[in-house]
Amino acid sequence: MVVVTLSPLRPPTVIGQFHTLFFGSVRMFFLGVLGFAVYGNEALHFSCDPDRRELNLYCYNQFRPITPQVFWALQLVTVLVPGAVFHLYAACKNIDQEEILQRPIYTVFYIISVLLRIILEVIAFWLQSHLFGFQVHPLYMCDASALEKTFNITKCMVPEHFEKTIFLSAMYTFTVITLLLCVAEIFEILCRRLGYLTNQ
């Protein structure tokens, strides 16, 4: 009977370890605490003219096809998957940090996992820009013609639009920072790999 012990494996680079800290701590804390504080009651305070429950709900669903906190939570989980798969594989094979940089096959697999993170972050950035834009406006013009024939366009008030704009900008900034860290990590891996080959 073979027993496999899974020991926690840190990223093989300094930038990778900083990325894990930044991604795991700051970004998740920001989303978990401030995200739900800013967006938590948005649907309750979203009101249209005339202020009727069914109209408010209809226009809010049009305004927010997906709530921002759900989108960002899915983004965080999705971006974590490539790294988690690699680290699970490395833990099962008892691969340590130095082996990742010393053995070409492990180095290539690790770089692929970082490239996948970059691709997923770029896709998330593009989706976020199309779903939420770069600024939250105080008024939203809702097309309610499918709900009632008496009026086509109705004005809706977006609560705390300035706070949401700031938070939106922060989430874009986090995405850009993690992208830069991933690119820098690839350069660090290549430089350390080159240094390892030079010393041999």
Side-chain angles (χ1 to χ4, degrees):
M1 179 177 172
V2 178
V3 178
V4 178
T5 57
L6 298 178
S7 57
L9 179 72
R10 293 184 301 166
T13 62
V14 175
I15 294 174
Q17 292 170 23
F18 179 76
H19 173 268
T20 302
L21 176 68
F22 177 81
F23 194 99
S25 303
V26 179
R27 201 171 176 183
M28 286 186 181
F29 174 82
F30 194 85
L31 175 60
V33 175
L34 296 180
F36 285 92
V38 172
Y39 287 96
N41 295 320
E42 184 182 45
L44 296 175
H45 300 293
F46 187 87
S47 61
C48 300
D49 183 25
D51 188 7
R52 299 211 311 265
R53 176 177 166 75
E54 65 274 12
L55 181 62
N56 292 344
L57 286 174
Y58 180 85
C59 288
Y60 181 74
N61 289 332
Q62 190 180 115
F63 176 63
R64 293 276 190 231
I66 180 172
T67 55
Q69 61 267 39
V70 170
F71 173 83
W72 289 318
L74 288 173
Q75 177 188 356
L76 292 179
V77 171
T78 306
V79 172
L80 282 173
V81 169
V85 170
F86 175 84
H87 287 297
L88 182 62
Y89 170 79
C92 289
K93 294 287 186 179
N94 289 322
I95 304 167
D96 60 25
Q97 290 174 271
E98 289 305 315
E99 278 187 285
I100 295 172
L101 296 175
Q102 290 171 1
R103 300 189 60 178
I105 188 70
Y106 297 151
T107 305
V108 170
F109 283 154
Y110 187 77
I111 289 175
I112 289 172
S113 75
V114 177
L115 287 173
L116 284 173
R117 289 204 311 254
I118 292 173
I119 292 168
L120 291 169
E121 287 282 15
V122 169
I123 292 171
F125 189 97
W126 180 81
L127 282 173
Q128 181 177 328
S129 66
H130 277 70
L131 286 171
F132 312 125
F134 293 91
Q135 183 180 1
V136 181
H137 299 283
L139 286 177
Y140 174 71
M141 305 306 291
C142 172
D143 181 6
S145 56
L147 185 66
E148 287 199 17
K149 300 298 182 185
T150 53
F151 48 85
N152 293 331
I153 305 297
T154 183
K155 289 190 295 185
C156 300
M157 298 289 293
V158 181
E160 292 95 24
H161 63 94
F162 185 66
E163 283 183 16
K164 291 180 175 65
T165 298
I166 294 173
F167 195 88
L168 199 59
S169 301
M171 294 308 291
Y172 279 118
T173 303
F174 285 146
T175 301
V176 171
I177 289 172
T178 52
L179 279 171
L180 293 175
L181 287 173
C182 288
V183 172
E185 186 177 7
I186 291 175
F187 278 107
E188 184 184 349
I189 291 168
L190 295 176
C191 289
R192 290 182 63 180
R193 175 69 186 160
L194 186 63
Y196 173 76
L197 292 174
T198 305
N199 292 332
Q200 280 190 325

